[in-house]
Amino acid sequence: MRDALPAWWSGRGTPTTAPAETPSAPAAADGGEAHLRLARESLRELLDDTQVPPEVRARLAEDYATLERMLERLEGGRLHIAVFGRVSVGKSALLNALLGEQRFATSPLHGETVTATAADWQPDPSLPGVQRLQDGGVSLIDTPGIDEVGGEGRERLAREVAASADLVLFVCEGDLTDTELSALRGLADGTRPIVLAFNKTDRYTASERALLLDALERRTAGLVRPEHIVPCAAAPAERTVIRIDAAGRESESRQRPPVDIEDLRETLWDILASEGKTVSALNAGLFAGRFCERLAREVLELRRSLAETVVRRYSLGKGIAVALNPLPLADLAAVFADVAMIVQLGRVYGLPVSRGEAGGLMKTIAAQLALLLGAAYAGDLLSSLLKGLTFGLSTIVTASAQGAVAWYGTYVVGRAAERYFAQGRSWGEGGPKRVVQEILASLDRDSLLAEARADIMARLRGGT
């Protein structure tokens, strides 16, 4: 464990701020270039931080891989659009229509899409604002449907992909179901634009379409901007057309109406051109912030585990030393082993202390123990260990009882010192008395004493 963490960590083991600020507005005067630069710097700082313990890096390997992919996206200037919606609303067909080619599998059967797949989408240079897009291009990502029976894993994948996208294309085919509305609420967290594509409009009359669009606008108020609710028809169904010639003869044929996705195409490119860079930077910054929180928890958990190991090691050493060469119980708090333990705990938390500082901290804790338990607390502990035993005890049993008292005292001191360092060299609002009080209340004294005595006796009998 290293003695110190980066400057953006506090002594409590949680990040005080993210490495770089995240943008708070969906657009910027420079088209988002400054936001992108800050986001890239943030991700590089997290990835290149050599002070993160190797154990923590191993635990967060998947998160680090996501960071790397996100940084590659930012550096390459690529934007991601994820399509999201129920099974068979025409998600894959809509993406194919936008691409102008059959890249995504479609089928009349439910659940054709079972994994997330992507394709490059080249901008139309004639559309306004396209020249402001990054050079890296745009990826369209198809995801599984969210309501397929037995498809919980695929639905989870769809949500994860949508959550990391720069823009979500939510596809429906009419008024929203409860499932769709719930999913939309989960995605509308304000970090990325959402376009609601009302697909299969060829099924409805003009008046029916108007009613449905009005209903969609009302139901998605606060979730989707009204101008981002766009009717379209990605794969219009064939219909029967009857023609009557000049002689009055009828002829019947099957025809497919033209694809209707131009309004949707323009809406998507307009959003990407005006907000794409900033949204991409914002998503990266938010992910970096969440990553910092996870990293802090993992580091803190590692420190606590190391601290527990240190405290138990010194407690056992103290217990064996007293068992082999008993000291007056009143003098146990002054044993140098406690000071060495506190010095080591400071190193575990990246807050080194001198032996003098550690000695003062140890005396503060011991004083609170005496106040809370009384001057005869060590004698009471020893009495509880010897209770029920007859005279004629072997030396090893008596020695282990005395050693267990020393073990317990050092353990309480260590736990209190660990809390002090975990709180950034602070006792908190209640002071040292409150900390020691809480620790004593949290410990099962009898079981700890029994554990200590058993361990000490095993060591003594083993000749160690």
Side-chain angles (χ1 to χ4, degrees):
M1 185 74 191
R2 297 182 183 272
D3 290 343
L5 285 173
W8 44 272
W9 288 81
S10 71
R12 293 171 182 260
T14 55
T16 54
T17 58
E21 296 180 2
T22 55
S24 58
D30 64 352
E33 288 294 344
H35 293 156
L36 280 175
R37 185 177 64 256
L38 287 172
R40 287 193 292 264
E41 291 172 358
S42 297
L43 298 191
R44 284 197 199 97
E45 182 179 348
L46 288 171
L47 287 168
D48 296 340
D49 183 7
T50 58
Q51 294 184 315
V52 174
E55 301 94 328
V56 172
R57 276 191 176 270
R59 291 180 199 170
L60 298 178
E62 187 174 335
D63 290 317
Y64 273 104
T66 301
L67 275 178
E68 290 178 354
R69 290 194 298 269
M70 192 166 286
L71 180 57
E72 288 176 2
R73 275 174 55 186
L74 291 179
E75 291 180 334
R78 177 160 291 274
L79 298 173
H80 283 190
I81 298 177
V83 66
F84 193 88
R86 288 190 300 110
V87 170
S88 295
V89 294
K91 301 186 301 295
S92 300
L94 187 56
L95 293 183
N96 287 334
L98 290 170
L99 289 167
E101 57 181 299
Q102 296 296 310
R103 293 288 298 278
F104 296 97
T106 59
S107 169
L109 301 176
H110 280 295
E112 174 68 20
T113 302
V114 295
T115 60
T117 53
D120 291 338
W121 191 28
Q122 297 302 318
D124 182 347
S126 67
L127 293 173
V130 167
Q131 64 274 14
R132 297 198 305 271
L133 283 173
Q134 304 169 79
D135 297 332
V138 177
S139 289
L140 298 177
I141 305 173
D142 197 7
T143 63
I146 62 172
D147 62 343
E148 186 178 359
V149 176
E152 293 80 6
R154 293 197 288 272
E155 179 173 339
R156 185 168 56 253
L157 170 65
R159 293 179 185 275
E160 290 173 356
V161 171
S164 64
D166 301 305
L167 186 152
V168 173
L169 179 57
F170 196 106
V171 185
C172 66
E173 59 180 357
D175 197 7
L176 296 179
T177 66
D178 290 340
T179 297
E180 288 173 315
L181 193 56
S182 175
L184 187 60
R185 289 193 181 109
L187 293 171
D189 57 4
T191 63
R192 65 188 59 80
I194 295 178
V195 173
L196 181 61
F198 171 23
N199 195 22
K200 303 184 181 181
T201 54
D202 57 295
R203 295 179 175 183
Y204 306 101
T205 64
S207 59
E208 288 172 338
R209 285 198 296 271
L211 287 173
L212 285 169
L213 283 169
D214 182 64
L216 289 173
E217 184 172 335
R218 282 186 285 102
R219 299 198 70 189
T220 62
L223 303 175
V224 181
R225 300 180 197 174
E227 63 271 23
H228 291 172
I229 302 174
V230 187
C232 57
E238 284 188 345
R239 60 184 63 178
T240 301
V241 177
I242 299 175
R243 290 187 173 84
I244 303 176
D245 62 18
R249 293 187 297 268
E250 292 184 357
S251 63
E252 185 178 299
S253 64
R254 299 285 294 173
Q255 294 185 6
R256 188 182 299 277
V259 170
D260 179 14
I261 51 108
E262 287 310 307
D263 286 347
L264 178 62
R265 187 197 307 274
E266 290 185 14
T267 298
L268 293 174
W269 281 117
D270 181 64
I271 294 172
L272 293 177
S274 61
E275 303 177 22
K277 293 181 181 180
T278 296
V279 170
S280 183
L282 175 60
N283 288 337
L286 290 172
F287 181 84
R290 293 191 295 269
F291 175 81
C292 284
E293 292 174 0
R294 288 193 291 273
L295 183 60
R297 288 195 296 269
E298 289 292 339
V299 170
L300 187 58
E301 184 61 33
L302 177 62
R303 285 172 165 171
R304 285 173 175 164
S305 177
L306 290 174
E308 178 70 12
T309 300
V310 168
V311 171
R312 284 184 173 272
R313 186 178 68 220
Y314 276 93
S315 296
L316 180 60
K318 173 82 162 290
I320 293 174
V322 170
L324 291 172
N325 186 21
L327 299 172
L329 292 175
D331 295 335
L332 288 180
V335 175
F336 290 115
D338 290 3
V339 175
M341 175 184 64
I342 292 173
V343 170
Q344 186 65 26
L345 288 172
R347 290 174 181 165
V348 166
Y349 278 89
L351 300 169
V353 294
S354 66
R355 295 188 71 86
E357 291 173 306
L361 188 59
M362 181 266 294
K363 290 177 182 177
T364 297
I365 298 170
Q368 296 306 318
L369 272 172
L371 286 172
L372 290 168
L373 298 178
Y377 83 94
D380 292 339
L381 292 178
L382 183 57
S383 297
S384 69
L385 283 169
L386 299 176
K387 184 178 180 181
L389 298 178
T390 60
F391 289 101
L393 292 173
S394 66
T395 302
I396 191 170
V397 173
T398 306
S400 69
Q402 292 174 312
V405 173
W407 188 104
Y408 182 80
T410 294
Y411 186 78
V412 173
V413 170
R415 288 288 299 274
E418 191 262 346
R419 177 83 67 86
Y420 173 80
F421 289 122
Q423 295 178 162
R425 271 184 172 164
S426 170
W427 290 115
E429 294 182 1
K433 181 178 180 180
R434 174 78 173 273
V435 169
V436 174
Q437 211 167 25
E438 290 177 351
I439 288 171
L440 289 173
S442 70
L443 299 178
D444 184 342
R445 189 186 73 176
D446 292 338
S447 64
L448 280 174
L449 286 170
E451 176 188 343
R453 188 175 63 179
D455 205 356
I456 291 170
M457 287 182 68
R459 297 299 182 94
L460 290 177
R461 284 170 175 158
T464 57

